[in-house]
mmCIF file of all heavy atoms in Angstrom:
data_model
loop_
_atom_site.group_PDB
_atom_site.id
_atom_site.type_symbol
_atom_site.label_atom_id
_atom_site.label_comp_id
_atom_site.label_asym_id
_atom_site.label_seq_id
_atom_site.Cartn_x
_atom_site.Cartn_y
_atom_site.Cartn_z
ATOM 1 N N GLU A 78 18.967 21.164 -18.861
ATOM 2 C CA GLU A 78 20.011 20.094 -18.922
ATOM 3 C C GLU A 78 20.096 19.329 -17.546
ATOM 4 O O GLU A 78 20.404 18.202 -17.542
ATOM 5 C CB GLU A 78 21.366 20.610 -19.365
ATOM 6 C CG GLU A 78 21.253 21.162 -20.953
ATOM 7 C CD GLU A 78 22.526 21.808 -21.330
ATOM 8 O OE1 GLU A 78 23.552 21.528 -20.784
ATOM 9 O OE2 GLU A 78 22.505 22.436 -22.355
ATOM 10 N N LEU A 79 19.920 20.125 -16.409
ATOM 11 C CA LEU A 79 20.049 19.399 -15.161
ATOM 12 C C LEU A 79 18.900 18.400 -14.934
ATOM 13 O O LEU A 79 19.034 17.335 -14.560
ATOM 14 C CB LEU A 79 20.002 20.461 -14.039
ATOM 15 C CG LEU A 79 21.268 21.140 -13.576
ATOM 16 C CD1 LEU A 79 20.988 22.412 -12.802
ATOM 17 C CD2 LEU A 79 22.183 20.175 -12.960
ATOM 18 N N VAL A 80 17.769 18.853 -15.471
ATOM 19 C CA VAL A 80 16.503 17.995 -15.156
ATOM 20 C C VAL A 80 16.745 16.689 -16.068
ATOM 21 O O VAL A 80 16.534 15.553 -15.641
ATOM 22 C CB VAL A 80 15.237 18.614 -15.674
ATOM 23 C CG1 VAL A 80 14.139 17.553 -15.792
ATOM 24 C CG2 VAL A 80 14.927 19.649 -14.506
ATOM 25 N N ILE A 81 17.245 16.847 -17.285
ATOM 26 C CA ILE A 81 17.357 15.757 -18.308
ATOM 27 C C ILE A 81 18.532 14.729 -17.758
ATOM 28 O O ILE A 81 18.362 13.520 -17.802
ATOM 29 C CB ILE A 81 17.610 16.278 -19.682
ATOM 30 C CG1 ILE A 81 16.298 16.826 -20.187
ATOM 31 C CG2 ILE A 81 18.085 15.164 -20.603
ATOM 32 C CD1 ILE A 81 16.320 17.500 -21.460
ATOM 33 N N SER A 82 19.704 15.490 -17.275
ATOM 34 C CA SER A 82 20.716 14.465 -16.770
ATOM 35 C C SER A 82 20.270 13.682 -15.589
ATOM 36 O O SER A 82 20.611 12.525 -15.323
ATOM 37 C CB SER A 82 21.916 15.364 -16.332
ATOM 38 O OG SER A 82 22.425 16.073 -17.556
ATOM 39 N N LEU A 83 19.539 14.358 -14.670
ATOM 40 C CA LEU A 83 19.019 13.695 -13.376
ATOM 41 C C LEU A 83 18.010 12.455 -13.804
ATOM 42 O O LEU A 83 18.156 11.343 -13.319
ATOM 43 C CB LEU A 83 18.281 14.732 -12.526
ATOM 44 C CG LEU A 83 18.010 14.246 -11.099
ATOM 45 C CD1 LEU A 83 19.193 13.877 -10.401
ATOM 46 C CD2 LEU A 83 17.246 15.392 -10.404
ATOM 47 N N GLU A 84 17.138 12.918 -14.723
ATOM 48 C CA GLU A 84 16.115 11.878 -15.320
ATOM 49 C C GLU A 84 16.918 10.673 -15.873
ATOM 50 O O GLU A 84 16.569 9.450 -15.608
ATOM 51 C CB GLU A 84 15.245 12.480 -16.294
ATOM 52 C CG GLU A 84 14.163 11.725 -16.720
ATOM 53 C CD GLU A 84 13.118 12.282 -17.580
ATOM 54 O OE1 GLU A 84 13.373 13.251 -18.149
ATOM 55 O OE2 GLU A 84 12.115 11.705 -17.859
ATOM 56 N N LYS A 85 17.984 11.006 -16.552
ATOM 57 C CA LYS A 85 18.721 9.843 -17.146
ATOM 58 C C LYS A 85 19.326 8.957 -16.195
ATOM 59 O O LYS A 85 19.174 7.690 -16.327
ATOM 60 C CB LYS A 85 19.824 10.520 -18.062
ATOM 61 C CG LYS A 85 20.509 9.547 -19.000
ATOM 62 C CD LYS A 85 21.398 10.282 -20.044
ATOM 63 C CE LYS A 85 22.135 9.371 -20.880
ATOM 64 N NZ LYS A 85 22.932 10.012 -21.901
ATOM 65 N N LEU A 86 19.876 9.523 -15.146
ATOM 66 C CA LEU A 86 20.368 8.707 -14.091
ATOM 67 C C LEU A 86 19.331 7.913 -13.232
ATOM 68 O O LEU A 86 19.588 6.821 -12.856
ATOM 69 C CB LEU A 86 21.266 9.624 -13.105
ATOM 70 C CG LEU A 86 22.476 10.140 -13.681
ATOM 71 C CD1 LEU A 86 23.208 11.300 -12.838
ATOM 72 C CD2 LEU A 86 23.562 9.032 -13.943
ATOM 73 N N GLU A 87 18.284 8.603 -13.056
ATOM 74 C CA GLU A 87 17.131 7.916 -12.387
ATOM 75 C C GLU A 87 16.627 6.807 -13.022
ATOM 76 O O GLU A 87 16.198 5.707 -12.436
ATOM 77 C CB GLU A 87 15.998 8.907 -11.969
ATOM 78 C CG GLU A 87 16.362 9.775 -10.821
ATOM 79 C CD GLU A 87 15.305 10.597 -10.292
ATOM 80 O OE1 GLU A 87 14.366 11.054 -11.120
ATOM 81 O OE2 GLU A 87 15.251 10.947 -9.100
ATOM 82 N N ASN A 88 16.598 6.859 -14.406
ATOM 83 C CA ASN A 88 16.102 5.806 -15.177
ATOM 84 C C ASN A 88 17.068 4.651 -15.479
ATOM 85 O O ASN A 88 16.685 3.607 -15.832
ATOM 86 C CB ASN A 88 15.543 6.263 -16.551
ATOM 87 C CG ASN A 88 14.309 7.237 -16.431
ATOM 88 O OD1 ASN A 88 13.676 7.080 -15.459
ATOM 89 N ND2 ASN A 88 14.113 8.047 -17.386
ATOM 90 N N ASP A 89 18.279 4.887 -14.992
ATOM 91 C CA ASP A 89 19.308 3.825 -15.170
ATOM 92 C C ASP A 89 19.487 3.178 -13.756
ATOM 93 O O ASP A 89 20.075 3.752 -12.792
ATOM 94 C CB ASP A 89 20.555 4.500 -15.703
ATOM 95 C CG ASP A 89 21.717 3.496 -15.825
ATOM 96 O OD1 ASP A 89 21.563 2.249 -15.353
ATOM 97 O OD2 ASP A 89 22.702 3.901 -16.594
ATOM 98 N N LYS A 90 19.077 2.009 -13.703
ATOM 99 C CA LYS A 90 19.070 1.199 -12.372
ATOM 100 C C LYS A 90 20.458 1.118 -11.756
ATOM 101 O O LYS A 90 20.624 0.691 -10.596
ATOM 102 C CB LYS A 90 18.281 -0.093 -12.422
ATOM 103 C CG LYS A 90 16.772 0.121 -12.754
ATOM 104 C CD LYS A 90 16.094 0.974 -11.668
ATOM 105 C CE LYS A 90 14.731 1.499 -12.213
ATOM 106 N NZ LYS A 90 14.455 2.879 -11.711
ATOM 107 N N THR A 91 21.496 1.325 -12.641
ATOM 108 C CA THR A 91 22.879 1.191 -12.153
ATOM 109 C C THR A 91 23.135 2.165 -11.002
ATOM 110 O O THR A 91 23.954 1.878 -10.145
ATOM 111 C CB THR A 91 23.956 1.521 -13.336
ATOM 112 O OG1 THR A 91 23.411 0.935 -14.458
ATOM 113 C CG2 THR A 91 25.286 1.098 -12.943
ATOM 114 N N PHE A 92 22.412 3.349 -11.153
ATOM 115 C CA PHE A 92 22.750 4.436 -10.174
ATOM 116 C C PHE A 92 21.832 4.552 -9.003
ATOM 117 O O PHE A 92 20.604 4.491 -9.179
ATOM 118 C CB PHE A 92 22.932 5.707 -10.936
ATOM 119 C CG PHE A 92 24.115 5.647 -11.977
ATOM 120 C CD1 PHE A 92 23.810 5.336 -13.337
ATOM 121 C CD2 PHE A 92 25.323 5.765 -11.507
ATOM 122 C CE1 PHE A 92 24.856 5.250 -14.150
ATOM 123 C CE2 PHE A 92 26.293 5.544 -12.315
ATOM 124 C CZ PHE A 92 26.190 5.342 -13.682
ATOM 125 N N ARG A 93 22.439 4.753 -7.850
ATOM 126 C CA ARG A 93 21.698 4.923 -6.613
ATOM 127 C C ARG A 93 21.955 6.340 -6.008
ATOM 128 O O ARG A 93 21.178 6.654 -5.104
ATOM 129 C CB ARG A 93 21.988 3.839 -5.578
ATOM 130 C CG ARG A 93 21.793 2.513 -6.121
ATOM 131 C CD ARG A 93 22.340 1.403 -5.037
ATOM 132 N NE ARG A 93 21.582 1.543 -3.809
ATOM 133 C CZ ARG A 93 22.336 1.354 -2.611
ATOM 134 N NH1 ARG A 93 23.544 0.899 -2.618
ATOM 135 N NH2 ARG A 93 21.659 1.503 -1.551
ATOM 136 N N GLY A 94 23.039 6.971 -6.359
ATOM 137 C CA GLY A 94 23.281 8.269 -5.804
ATOM 138 C C GLY A 94 23.975 9.188 -6.724
ATOM 139 O O GLY A 94 24.694 8.739 -7.732
ATOM 140 N N VAL A 95 23.847 10.476 -6.460
ATOM 141 C CA VAL A 95 24.489 11.481 -7.287
ATOM 142 C C VAL A 95 25.112 12.608 -6.321
ATOM 143 O O VAL A 95 24.389 13.069 -5.400
ATOM 144 C CB VAL A 95 23.407 12.323 -8.125
ATOM 145 C CG1 VAL A 95 24.010 13.467 -8.884
ATOM 146 C CG2 VAL A 95 22.911 11.301 -9.195
ATOM 147 N N ILE A 96 26.334 12.895 -6.716
ATOM 148 C CA ILE A 96 27.019 14.073 -5.956
ATOM 149 C C ILE A 96 26.950 15.267 -6.893
ATOM 150 O O ILE A 96 27.422 15.250 -8.045
ATOM 151 C CB ILE A 96 28.496 13.670 -5.617
ATOM 152 C CG1 ILE A 96 28.446 12.600 -4.448
ATOM 153 C CG2 ILE A 96 29.200 14.924 -5.052
ATOM 154 C CD1 ILE A 96 29.765 12.097 -4.100
ATOM 155 N N LEU A 97 26.303 16.333 -6.413
ATOM 156 C CA LEU A 97 26.130 17.479 -7.257
ATOM 157 C C LEU A 97 27.181 18.503 -6.763
ATOM 158 O O LEU A 97 27.266 18.850 -5.579
ATOM 159 C CB LEU A 97 24.664 18.099 -6.951
ATOM 160 C CG LEU A 97 24.054 18.963 -7.869
ATOM 161 C CD1 LEU A 97 23.993 18.357 -9.303
ATOM 162 C CD2 LEU A 97 22.690 19.403 -7.394
ATOM 163 N N THR A 98 27.827 18.991 -7.678
ATOM 164 C CA THR A 98 28.953 19.940 -7.446
ATOM 165 C C THR A 98 29.206 20.984 -8.614
ATOM 166 O O THR A 98 28.403 20.959 -9.556
ATOM 167 C CB THR A 98 30.289 19.228 -7.105
ATOM 168 O OG1 THR A 98 31.184 20.088 -6.414
ATOM 169 C CG2 THR A 98 30.854 18.511 -8.249
ATOM 170 N N SER A 99 30.176 21.876 -8.406
ATOM 171 C CA SER A 99 30.314 22.918 -9.515
ATOM 172 C C SER A 99 31.671 22.667 -10.233
ATOM 173 O O SER A 99 32.678 22.247 -9.549
ATOM 174 C CB SER A 99 30.327 24.225 -8.780
ATOM 175 O OG SER A 99 30.847 25.215 -9.644
ATOM 176 N N ASP A 100 31.599 22.954 -11.395
ATOM 177 C CA ASP A 100 32.838 22.892 -12.267
ATOM 178 C C ASP A 100 33.451 24.336 -12.406
ATOM 179 O O ASP A 100 34.500 24.366 -13.084
ATOM 180 C CB ASP A 100 32.518 22.316 -13.615
ATOM 181 C CG ASP A 100 33.795 21.800 -14.362
ATOM 182 O OD1 ASP A 100 34.544 21.102 -13.763
ATOM 183 O OD2 ASP A 100 33.884 22.090 -15.648
ATOM 184 N N CYS A 101 32.683 25.255 -11.852
ATOM 185 C CA CYS A 101 33.301 26.725 -11.959
ATOM 186 C C CYS A 101 33.930 27.087 -10.628
ATOM 187 O O CYS A 101 33.446 26.701 -9.533
ATOM 188 C CB CYS A 101 32.067 27.650 -12.102
ATOM 189 S SG CYS A 101 31.203 27.347 -13.674
ATOM 190 N N PRO A 102 35.191 27.595 -10.813
ATOM 191 C CA PRO A 102 35.809 27.991 -9.534
ATOM 192 C C PRO A 102 35.170 28.931 -8.632
ATOM 193 O O PRO A 102 34.605 29.873 -9.222
ATOM 194 C CB PRO A 102 37.205 28.603 -10.130
ATOM 195 C CG PRO A 102 37.031 28.790 -11.527
ATOM 196 C CD PRO A 102 35.877 27.946 -12.089
ATOM 197 N N ARG A 103 35.141 28.728 -7.464
ATOM 198 C CA ARG A 103 34.689 29.632 -6.340
ATOM 199 C C ARG A 103 33.163 29.903 -6.324
ATOM 200 O O ARG A 103 32.684 30.507 -5.417
ATOM 201 C CB ARG A 103 35.307 30.968 -6.491
ATOM 202 C CG ARG A 103 36.955 31.050 -6.299
ATOM 203 C CD ARG A 103 37.455 32.401 -6.360
ATOM 204 N NE ARG A 103 36.966 33.013 -7.681
ATOM 205 C CZ ARG A 103 37.502 32.827 -8.894
ATOM 206 N NH1 ARG A 103 38.510 32.047 -8.992
ATOM 207 N NH2 ARG A 103 37.128 33.577 -9.922
ATOM 208 N N VAL A 104 32.450 29.314 -7.240
ATOM 209 C CA VAL A 104 30.938 29.419 -7.140
ATOM 210 C C VAL A 104 30.286 28.069 -7.365
ATOM 211 O O VAL A 104 30.513 27.451 -8.289
ATOM 212 C CB VAL A 104 30.332 30.476 -8.311
ATOM 213 C CG1 VAL A 104 28.869 30.596 -8.059
ATOM 214 C CG2 VAL A 104 31.045 31.786 -8.164
ATOM 215 N N PHE A 105 29.475 27.770 -6.395
ATOM 216 C CA PHE A 105 28.610 26.503 -6.591
ATOM 217 C C PHE A 105 27.364 26.823 -7.484
ATOM 218 O O PHE A 105 27.376 26.202 -8.633
ATOM 219 C CB PHE A 105 28.023 25.976 -5.260
ATOM 220 C CG PHE A 105 27.115 24.951 -5.431
ATOM 221 C CD1 PHE A 105 27.561 23.688 -5.591
ATOM 222 C CD2 PHE A 105 25.789 24.996 -5.282
ATOM 223 C CE1 PHE A 105 26.701 22.514 -5.651
ATOM 224 C CE2 PHE A 105 24.746 23.926 -5.277
ATOM 225 C CZ PHE A 105 25.380 22.631 -5.502
ATOM 226 N N CYS A 106 26.661 27.825 -7.330
ATOM 227 C CA CYS A 106 25.667 28.285 -8.248
ATOM 228 C C CYS A 106 25.135 29.631 -7.720
ATOM 229 O O CYS A 106 24.850 29.824 -6.632
ATOM 230 C CB CYS A 106 24.457 27.279 -8.263
ATOM 231 S SG CYS A 106 23.047 27.840 -9.166
ATOM 232 N N ALA A 107 25.064 30.737 -8.638
ATOM 233 C CA ALA A 107 24.695 32.025 -8.299
ATOM 234 C C ALA A 107 23.133 32.154 -8.333
ATOM 235 O O ALA A 107 22.677 33.327 -8.075
ATOM 236 C CB ALA A 107 25.336 32.966 -9.315
ATOM 237 N N GLY A 108 22.389 31.104 -8.432
ATOM 238 C CA GLY A 108 20.867 31.142 -8.240
ATOM 239 C C GLY A 108 20.444 31.664 -9.679
ATOM 240 O O GLY A 108 21.000 31.365 -10.831
ATOM 241 N N LEU A 109 19.262 32.047 -9.660
ATOM 242 C CA LEU A 109 18.433 32.455 -10.718
ATOM 243 C C LEU A 109 19.315 33.304 -11.710
ATOM 244 O O LEU A 109 20.044 34.310 -11.197
ATOM 245 C CB LEU A 109 17.222 33.146 -10.302
ATOM 246 C CG LEU A 109 15.986 33.554 -10.995
ATOM 247 C CD1 LEU A 109 14.844 33.426 -9.959
ATOM 248 C CD2 LEU A 109 16.091 34.968 -11.476
ATOM 249 N N ASP A 110 19.194 33.094 -13.017
ATOM 250 C CA ASP A 110 19.910 33.874 -13.958
ATOM 251 C C ASP A 110 18.997 35.147 -14.231
ATOM 252 O O ASP A 110 18.017 35.033 -14.792
ATOM 253 C CB ASP A 110 20.119 33.113 -15.241
ATOM 254 C CG ASP A 110 20.962 33.866 -16.282
ATOM 255 O OD1 ASP A 110 21.129 35.123 -16.095
ATOM 256 O OD2 ASP A 110 21.517 33.250 -17.237
ATOM 257 N N LEU A 111 19.654 36.209 -13.746
ATOM 258 C CA LEU A 111 18.812 37.452 -13.718
ATOM 259 C C LEU A 111 18.588 37.996 -15.013
ATOM 260 O O LEU A 111 17.586 38.670 -15.371
ATOM 261 C CB LEU A 111 19.424 38.558 -12.797
ATOM 262 C CG LEU A 111 19.512 38.114 -11.380
ATOM 263 C CD1 LEU A 111 20.382 39.034 -10.580
ATOM 264 C CD2 LEU A 111 18.088 38.021 -10.699
ATOM 265 N N THR A 112 19.370 37.558 -15.959
ATOM 266 C CA THR A 112 19.102 38.014 -17.395
ATOM 267 C C THR A 112 17.943 37.270 -18.023
ATOM 268 O O THR A 112 17.472 37.713 -19.074
ATOM 269 C CB THR A 112 20.415 37.866 -18.304
ATOM 270 O OG1 THR A 112 20.621 36.435 -18.469
ATOM 271 C CG2 THR A 112 21.600 38.524 -17.731
ATOM 272 N N GLU A 113 17.493 36.278 -17.318
ATOM 273 C CA GLU A 113 16.358 35.581 -17.900
ATOM 274 C C GLU A 113 14.989 36.200 -17.529
ATOM 275 O O GLU A 113 13.932 35.885 -17.950
ATOM 276 C CB GLU A 113 16.263 34.047 -17.265
ATOM 277 C CG GLU A 113 17.341 33.178 -17.870
ATOM 278 C CD GLU A 113 17.253 32.615 -19.192
ATOM 279 O OE1 GLU A 113 16.178 33.029 -19.930
ATOM 280 O OE2 GLU A 113 17.952 31.726 -19.598
ATOM 281 N N ILE A 114 15.075 37.107 -16.543
ATOM 282 C CA ILE A 114 13.876 37.821 -16.098
ATOM 283 C C ILE A 114 14.018 39.250 -16.173
ATOM 284 O O ILE A 114 12.972 39.961 -15.734
ATOM 285 C CB ILE A 114 13.545 37.375 -14.600
ATOM 286 C CG1 ILE A 114 14.587 37.593 -13.623
ATOM 287 C CG2 ILE A 114 13.052 35.881 -14.558
ATOM 288 C CD1 ILE A 114 14.087 37.490 -12.244
ATOM 289 N N CYS A 115 15.051 39.792 -16.549
ATOM 290 C CA CYS A 115 15.264 41.260 -16.707
ATOM 291 C C CYS A 115 15.009 41.653 -18.178
ATOM 292 O O CYS A 115 15.667 41.107 -19.053
ATOM 293 C CB CYS A 115 16.668 41.806 -16.362
ATOM 294 S SG CYS A 115 16.829 42.071 -14.497
ATOM 295 N N GLY A 116 13.953 42.461 -18.389
ATOM 296 C CA GLY A 116 13.658 42.988 -19.755
ATOM 297 C C GLY A 116 13.137 41.962 -20.634
ATOM 298 O O GLY A 116 13.234 42.014 -21.906
ATOM 299 N N ARG A 117 12.580 40.788 -20.076
ATOM 300 C CA ARG A 117 11.936 39.630 -20.907
ATOM 301 C C ARG A 117 10.420 39.931 -20.831
ATOM 302 O O ARG A 117 9.921 40.353 -19.935
ATOM 303 C CB ARG A 117 12.304 38.356 -20.273
ATOM 304 C CG ARG A 117 13.819 38.080 -20.216
ATOM 305 C CD ARG A 117 14.428 38.119 -21.596
ATOM 306 N NE ARG A 117 15.736 37.384 -21.539
ATOM 307 C CZ ARG A 117 16.110 36.402 -22.087
ATOM 308 N NH1 ARG A 117 15.340 35.795 -23.082
ATOM 309 N NH2 ARG A 117 17.401 35.895 -22.137
ATOM 310 N N ASN A 118 9.867 39.272 -21.847
ATOM 311 C CA ASN A 118 8.351 39.397 -21.741
ATOM 312 C C ASN A 118 7.801 38.282 -20.923
ATOM 313 O O ASN A 118 8.335 37.313 -20.409
ATOM 314 C CB ASN A 118 7.936 39.259 -23.363
ATOM 315 C CG ASN A 118 8.137 37.781 -23.869
ATOM 316 O OD1 ASN A 118 8.050 36.879 -23.127
ATOM 317 N ND2 ASN A 118 8.492 37.754 -25.310
ATOM 318 N N PRO A 119 6.440 38.564 -20.533
ATOM 319 C CA PRO A 119 5.832 37.561 -19.591
ATOM 320 C C PRO A 119 5.922 36.118 -19.976
ATOM 321 O O PRO A 119 6.007 35.285 -19.086
ATOM 322 C CB PRO A 119 4.392 38.143 -19.538
ATOM 323 C CG PRO A 119 4.469 39.543 -19.764
ATOM 324 C CD PRO A 119 5.543 39.687 -20.850
ATOM 325 N N ALA A 120 5.686 35.851 -21.360
ATOM 326 C CA ALA A 120 5.774 34.523 -21.702
ATOM 327 C C ALA A 120 7.122 33.824 -21.446
ATOM 328 O O ALA A 120 7.141 32.653 -21.005
ATOM 329 C CB ALA A 120 5.482 34.325 -23.165
ATOM 330 N N HIS A 121 8.134 34.481 -21.644
ATOM 331 C CA HIS A 121 9.508 34.007 -21.325
ATOM 332 C C HIS A 121 9.648 33.761 -19.886
ATOM 333 O O HIS A 121 10.216 32.824 -19.325
ATOM 334 C CB HIS A 121 10.586 34.967 -21.829
ATOM 335 C CG HIS A 121 11.950 34.377 -21.639
ATOM 336 N ND1 HIS A 121 12.560 33.453 -22.473
ATOM 337 C CD2 HIS A 121 12.834 34.593 -20.459
ATOM 338 C CE1 HIS A 121 13.744 33.055 -21.852
ATOM 339 N NE2 HIS A 121 13.941 33.749 -20.740
ATOM 340 N N CYS A 122 9.170 34.783 -19.041
ATOM 341 C CA CYS A 122 9.443 34.702 -17.528
ATOM 342 C C CYS A 122 8.487 33.456 -17.124
ATOM 343 O O CYS A 122 8.999 32.749 -16.158
ATOM 344 C CB CYS A 122 8.797 35.889 -16.835
ATOM 345 S SG CYS A 122 9.815 37.331 -17.124
#
Side-chain angles (χ1 to χ4, degrees):
E78 292 179 19
L79 276 168
V80 168
I81 291 174
S82 298
L83 192 60
E84 185 177 10
K85 193 167 173 179
L86 290 167
E87 280 188 331
N88 290 338
D89 182 340
K90 295 299 164 225
T91 317
F92 294 102
R93 299 174 63 214
V95 172
I96 292 177
L97 199 58
T98 193
S99 167
D100 199 44
C101 295
R103 299 180 307 281
V104 184
F105 177 76
C106 169
L109 193 148
D110 184 341
L111 297 170
T112 65
E113 295 277 12
I114 55 167
C115 275
R117 301 294 196 123
N118 63 37
H121 181 83
C122 293

